[in-house]
Amino acid sequence: MSPAGALLAAAGLWFAVVAAYAVAAIPFLLCLALAWAAVTGTRRANRTRKERT
């Protein structure tokens, strides 16, 4: 294998690993975003209730 071919193979492998990590991180990030939205949503609801009373 030529040096260019080896470099291309290494770049392809690196890209595959990064893509796999990105795909694996999507559900975690989505869950984190939903949890953050829920927490901030309840905070806002509590704040508005306190302001009303």
Side-chain angles (χ1 to χ4, degrees):
M1 189 185 276
S2 64
L7 190 66
L8 194 65
L13 183 65
W14 181 83
F15 180 76
V17 169
V18 170
Y21 270 104
V23 169
I26 287 166
F28 173 74
L29 291 172
L30 191 64
C31 186
L32 197 66
L34 285 169
W36 179 254
V39 168
T40 54
T42 52
R43 276 188 197 160
R44 282 179 195 153
N46 288 337
R47 212 178 281 162
T48 51
R49 267 184 226 142
K50 282 176 188 168
E51 284 170 6
R52 278 181 204 154
T53 53

